[in-house]
Amino acid sequence: MPQQPPGLMQMLEELIAIPSVSSVNPAFDQGNRAVVERLGEWLHGLGFAVEIQPVPGSADKANLIATLGRGEGGLVLAGHTDTVPYDDSGWTSDPFVLSERDGRLYGLGTCDMKSFLGLVVEAVRDLRAEDLKQPLVILATADEESGMTGAKALVEAERRLGRYAVIGEPTGLQPVHLHKGVMMEAIRVRGRSGHSSDPSFGNSALEGMHRILNDILAWRQQVQSRNVDRRFDVPVPTLNLGYIHGGDNPNRICAHCELHIDIRPLPGMNLDELRGLLAQRLPRVLGETGLAVEMESLFPGLPPMETPSGSPIVQVAEQLTGSESRAVAFGTEGPYLRDLGMDVVVLGPGDIAQAHQPDEYLAADRLQPTVDLLRRLIRRFCMDEAEVRHAP
Ligand SMILES: [Zn+2]
């Protein structure tokens, strides 16, 4: 006989106690499998069909897909089970021990965002499959904080999940339907070293990079004049020159110079197109200099997300929270869920100011409102005849 899950506070304690750091640095990287297995046991105990989907490339990483009810449409409640690495010295209490002080629940992953998954289990505790006209899917992913390999594995497998999704990333319980994308590119110029006393002894990569910097700043201006979206606090795509290194000595011609840039495109802009434009421009800028230039993506990039404000998930989220849906500056797994045919709203109990910080916390007075909100969302998308909408 499957076991009923423990009470909410114990679930939160257990989720926080299981380490699930993910990091591009292998020294910090851990799996999330123990977290999804625990969630899987709880949801199995509530009658959900539980599937653990391994994530290619790591035996310790997996997604959880837990389904109650059946049908073509339905609602997906989604969250990632990994956390960022932590800096022990910044924490007042053990990051893996949920501790309540002054109405706040401290712990790594309280705000961003393992608590959300515990709140989801609490919200579905009394649900029965027979009550559902459309399926309810609980999705707990791996690796959101590093490579998004969990979300990518879902897209790769073309795993159909549902028609609407709520991702419980920290938004202070206000719906979000828009975010920018992120890409980070390295640009390397290769020249030839030589004694500085005679320029003909070498070919300066640094001088080539100077041309490239000028060109990139001119390109930024062009791109920003063509792409404006007033729904964002920073209404244009940004391009930051974040890192540069070149040369080794004042008296040697610089043979190698490397620049790292960060671009945050608006919805409607395509990462591959931007990369293509840069890849065309840069060799042209160097012209006949004889210098070579190459580009490399520092991470695969995250696309921007936009869910139309007329979508039922946006409308219902606005109604239930009494807040107008807005844009945020951070990225989510939303674009991947969109690729799988879902309309996505980001809506969760934490505040982004507490994410990725020592002494991360979730305010205790967010718990019950979140459970209530989740129950209302489930009612609207899985139970009410009038609101149940099928996939086109
Ligand atoms: Zn997060």
Side-chain angles (χ1 to χ4, degrees):
M1 190 61 194
Q3 294 257 310
Q4 285 280 312
L8 174 61
M9 290 314 281
Q10 194 186 327
M11 287 196 285
L12 300 186
E13 271 168 34
E14 290 188 33
L15 292 173
I16 300 308
I18 306 171
S20 56
V21 170
S22 81
S23 172
V24 287
N25 181 344
F28 299 119
D29 196 44
Q30 298 171 322
N32 71 322
R33 197 175 251 279
V35 180
V36 301
E37 281 172 356
R38 187 65 50 89
L39 284 165
E41 285 162 23
W42 294 338
L43 289 164
H44 176 68
L46 297 176
F48 281 67
V50 170
E51 177 188 338
I52 291 184
Q53 180 198 39
V55 171
S58 168
D60 297 330
K61 296 191 179 183
N63 296 322
L64 171 80
I65 303 161
T67 309
L68 191 69
R70 48 179 74 217
E72 286 295 301
L75 178 67
V76 178
L77 300 174
H80 62 84
T81 52
D82 59 323
T83 70
V84 288
Y86 58 98
D87 170 16
D88 236 345
S89 64
W91 280 79
T92 310
S93 54
D94 186 334
F96 296 103
V97 176
L98 186 76
S99 53
E100 188 166 2
R101 301 193 293 279
D102 310 322
R104 294 169 173 178
L105 300 167
Y106 288 91
L108 181 65
T110 46
C111 163
D112 186 14
M113 58 171 286
K114 290 196 271 187
S115 299
F116 176 75
L117 293 162
L119 291 162
V120 168
V121 178
E122 183 65 17
V124 303
R125 195 184 279 280
D126 298 320
L127 218 53
R128 292 173 314 159
E130 331 46 298
D131 300 333
L132 301 184
K133 298 191 174 77
Q134 289 290 332
L136 172 67
V137 175
I138 295 166
L139 171 66
T141 58
D143 216 32
E144 191 271 346
E145 300 287 6
S146 44
M148 298 252 176
T149 56
K152 284 177 187 165
L154 291 166
V155 174
E156 201 64 30
E158 297 178 27
R159 187 67 171 74
R160 289 250 1 140
L161 295 165
R163 180 66 188 90
Y164 301 106
V166 172
I167 302 179
E169 292 275 14
T171 68
L173 286 180
Q174 296 189 338
V176 163
H177 70 301
L178 279 175
H179 64 67
K180 288 183 184 178
V182 192
M183 54 194 280
M184 296 177 192
E185 307 295 308
I187 295 163
R188 301 190 183 101
V189 178
R190 240 175 323 107
R192 208 173 62 251
S193 65
H195 197 279
S196 61
S197 59
D198 183 344
S200 72
F201 287 158
N203 196 353
S204 172
L206 237 168
E207 291 187 21
M209 189 60 88
H210 175 235
R211 291 185 184 214
I212 284 182
L213 286 170
N214 282 335
D215 183 70
I216 286 182
L217 294 181
W219 181 61
R220 175 173 77 184
Q221 197 137 34
Q222 263 176 35
V223 173
Q224 291 182 334
S225 67
R226 287 184 199 141
N227 297 277
V228 178
D229 189 333
R230 300 260 165 232
R231 294 172 297 180
F232 288 90
D233 287 342
V234 178
V236 289
T238 53
L239 186 159
N240 181 54
L241 306 172
Y243 165 100
I244 192 163
H245 184 83
D248 38 30
N249 250 322
N251 62 0
R252 180 180 291 150
I253 294 167
C254 169
H256 183 264
C257 189
E258 177 161 341
L259 170 72
H260 295 180
I261 62 173
D262 159 295
I263 302 178
R264 312 245 160 179
L266 291 167
M269 299 174 75
N270 179 289
L271 304 191
D272 288 333
E273 236 165 72
L274 290 166
R275 282 192 191 105
L277 283 172
L278 270 175
Q280 269 175 11
R281 287 181 84 91
L282 299 183
R284 247 189 273 152
V285 175
L286 295 180
E288 302 305 308
T289 58
L291 295 163
V293 61
E294 58 177 40
M295 264 177 62
E296 190 197 338
S297 298
L298 293 167
F299 88 114
L302 177 71
M305 180 187 89
E306 173 161 23
T307 302
S309 42
S311 165
I313 191 72
V314 178
Q315 305 250 304
V316 170
E318 289 184 340
Q319 266 172 37
L320 295 181
T321 58
S323 310
E324 206 179 317
S325 189
R326 62 195 170 98
V328 284
F330 57 89
T332 71
E333 293 169 319
Y336 300 101
L337 300 192
R338 253 194 105 60
D339 283 351
L340 290 168
M342 285 170 254
D343 282 8
V344 182
V345 156
V346 187
L347 173 60
D351 288 318
I352 196 68
Q354 276 95 51
H356 301 198
Q357 296 288 340
D359 281 346
E360 173 183 342
Y361 69 83
L362 177 65
D365 63 8
R366 294 277 169 83
L367 300 182
Q368 195 55 45
T370 304
V371 171
D372 294 342
L373 176 64
L374 290 169
R375 287 186 178 144
R376 288 190 194 115
L377 283 164
I378 294 165
R379 176 157 290 282
R380 295 291 282 269
F381 286 96
C382 304
M383 298 163 86
D384 282 0
E385 197 69 72
E387 289 289 345
V388 170
R389 290 170 175 85
H390 295 264

